[in-house]
Amino acid sequence: MRNYLVLSLLLLVSVFSFSQKKHIQLTNGLLVAQLDRPEEKFTLEINLSELFSSENINVVPSLNILKQGEIPSVLASDSVTNILKSKNIDTYILVSVRGFDKSFKSSTHFESLANELGSSHLFPLYRDEIISITFEFTIYRNGEVVANKLLRLKNVDSKDKVMKKLRKKLPKLIKQWKL
């Protein structure tokens, strides 16, 4: 009897864990780095674009769509959405710095795409005297969140090291999104 109970419990846990994994089959996207400093936004979007392209995912940096000084919430407008659909882009990949030197949990409450694009993010790409940085990747498709993942980089003491470690760790995460 005990074996049947253990077996049924294992079966239930395995079914539940498989049902929680979302396969988003990421093939394209608009990449939006949510940083306040334009030079940091440019650096992050260009580096991430190269990483996604190396994994055969067609991404367009938001800097190619937005005019200089334009607010990012414009990216959720119908006209921009139609332009992106004509380029076969149906996914928004939002990247922000969640914080430094702490362990963070993934978000459980998500704003609409327009609200999220319009929100400000106060953390820079690098800050003196930090030892780790946590990035948050939120993927929207058809206005709904389909994936959210945190990526923590440890032992970073310069902006160059942040980018170097990001280039090393992110491809593993991208491969998960491709499935």
Side-chain angles (χ1 to χ4, degrees):
M1 181 69 175
R2 185 172 179 224
N3 290 339
Y4 291 120
L5 180 63
V6 170
L7 183 62
S8 62
L9 183 60
L10 286 174
L11 184 62
L12 181 64
V13 168
S14 66
V15 168
F16 181 71
S17 66
F18 284 124
S19 67
Q20 293 297 314
K21 291 187 179 185
K22 283 189 176 180
H23 299 288
I24 60 172
Q25 299 175 339
L26 186 63
T27 58
N28 62 60
L30 176 69
L31 186 62
V32 182
Q34 296 182 293
L35 298 168
D36 288 338
R37 296 181 185 157
E39 65 276 2
E40 289 181 347
K41 183 176 176 130
F42 176 79
T43 300
L44 189 58
E45 285 191 9
I46 295 305
N47 279 288
L48 292 178
S49 295
E50 289 175 5
L51 289 172
F52 277 95
S53 295
S54 69
E55 295 295 329
N56 297 320
I57 297 175
N58 179 31
V59 294
V60 175
S62 68
L63 297 171
N64 290 357
I65 305 294
L66 289 174
K67 295 177 183 169
Q68 189 173 359
E70 197 169 23
I71 57 173
S73 59
V74 170
L75 295 171
S77 69
D78 290 337
S79 60
V80 173
T81 303
N82 290 335
I83 291 170
L84 292 173
K85 282 184 181 177
S86 71
K87 295 180 179 184
N88 293 325
I89 295 176
D90 62 352
T91 306
Y92 287 76
I93 305 165
L94 278 56
V95 183
S96 61
V97 175
R98 182 74 178 267
F100 307 102
D101 299 339
K102 290 184 183 177
S103 293
F104 295 94
K105 294 182 180 177
S106 293
S107 299
T108 56
H109 173 73
F110 300 103
E111 297 289 328
S112 68
L113 178 60
N115 286 345
E116 187 61 36
L117 287 170
S119 64
S120 62
H121 295 268
L122 302 176
F123 295 116
L125 190 56
Y126 174 76
R127 183 182 291 171
D128 287 335
E129 299 178 13
I130 65 167
I131 56 171
S132 70
I133 183 171
T134 303
F135 288 94
E136 182 172 31
F137 293 84
T138 308
I139 300 176
Y140 284 83
R141 188 175 286 148
N142 299 323
E144 299 291 324
V145 175
V146 294
N148 179 268
K149 186 72 174 173
L150 296 178
L151 180 63
R152 185 172 185 190
L153 306 176
K154 297 178 183 179
N155 299 324
V156 292
D157 57 5
S158 69
K159 194 180 291 188
D160 291 336
K161 235 180 187 174
V162 169
M163 296 312 298
K164 183 178 178 181
K165 289 207 175 210
L166 184 63
R167 292 183 73 84
K168 182 179 179 182
K169 281 190 150 188
L170 188 59
K172 294 174 190 171
L173 188 58
I174 294 173
K175 287 177 183 173
Q176 290 176 6
W177 292 330
K178 281 177 58 174
L179 298 175

